[in-house]
Amino acid sequence: EDQVTQSPEALRLQEGESSSLNCSYTVSGLRGLFWYRQDPGKGPEFLFTLYSAGEEKEKERLKATLTKKESFLHITAPKPEDSATYLCAVCNNAGNMLTFGGGTRLMVKP
Amino acid sequence: DVKVTQSSRYLVKRTGEKVFLECVQDMDHENMFWYRQDPGLGLRLIYFSYDVKMKEKGDIPEGYSVSREKKERFSLILESASTNQTSMYLCASSLFPSSYNSPLHFGNGTRLTVT
């Protein structure tokens, strides 16, 4: 059974204080690892897909990296508008379903 | 831009009622999904559909059924609502049959309370 664990559950940062969110996974053949952002009262919004260990993707202040056991979402010099819940999900060899982690709630104070 | 629209933002139903949650997408996507989201448990897949009139069970299908009569519409049905089905329900769609190369586009959710 595929499993995804995200840590920490919640993270408070000061504006400009860089940090990383962790996503550990076990999966029967990784086809892809996904990061989503979810704002309160809204559905998740797609950020990145990573397919193989060593791959990195960047978008503004966010950078996602992937190893064989985990992924990190690095946030550089965050701003209050980066406050959201960040979700990680994996897709296995069957290719049709995603398994999501519980999310990390990020709060960035000005 | 893909739009996935869920018909209700909030619903309050009584135990034993039959409940319909409706979802419409406007981008001719093949796949549609229903998830529920609960604190600490993340998103869990209830059902998905890769074509009209086709459906597949997800991880937690018990107590639910689905209907996809048209490509753009995917309905989730709670045959007899129970209090443990109180949750946030999220509909999603994706372009290609395989989820690994086609990100999900989510609606804004329906918060269902069963009393």
Side-chain angles (χ1 to χ4, degrees), chain B residues 69-113:
Chain B
E69 296 295 320
K70 294 185 178 181
K71 192 173 186 178
E72 66 271 19
R73 186 179 296 271
F74 193 34
S75 303
L76 180 69
I77 304 157
L78 286 68
E79 297 289 343
S80 177
S82 64
T83 54
N84 62 13
Q85 292 178 310
T86 291
S87 185
M88 170 70 84
Y89 290 88
L90 289 163
C91 175
S93 71
S94 67
L95 178 60
F96 298 120
S98 295
S99 292
Y100 77 93
N101 62 359
S102 180
L104 297 178
H105 298 268
F106 285 88
N108 283 331
T110 296
R111 185 167 294 281
L112 173 67
T113 302

Side-chain angles (χ1 to χ4, degrees), chain B residues 29-88:
Chain B
H29 280 181
E30 301 282 342
N31 282 358
M32 295 190 75
F33 305 80
W34 275 107
Y35 288 88
R36 64 177 282 177
Q37 184 174 31
D38 301 288
L41 295 177
L43 276 76
R44 292 178 292 166
L45 182 64
I46 305 171
Y47 268 97
F48 69 100
S49 168
Y50 52 87
D51 201 353
V52 174
K53 297 193 185 294
M54 305 301 289
K55 61 185 179 184
E56 293 282 346
K57 292 180 180 179
D59 298 320
I60 50 164
E62 296 78 19
Y64 303 94
S65 62
V66 290
S67 171
R68 193 165 181 202
E69 296 295 320
K70 294 185 178 181
K71 192 173 186 178
E72 66 271 19
R73 186 179 296 271
F74 193 34
S75 303
L76 180 69
I77 304 157
L78 286 68
E79 297 289 343
S80 177
S82 64
T83 54
N84 62 13
Q85 292 178 310
T86 291
S87 185
M88 170 70 84

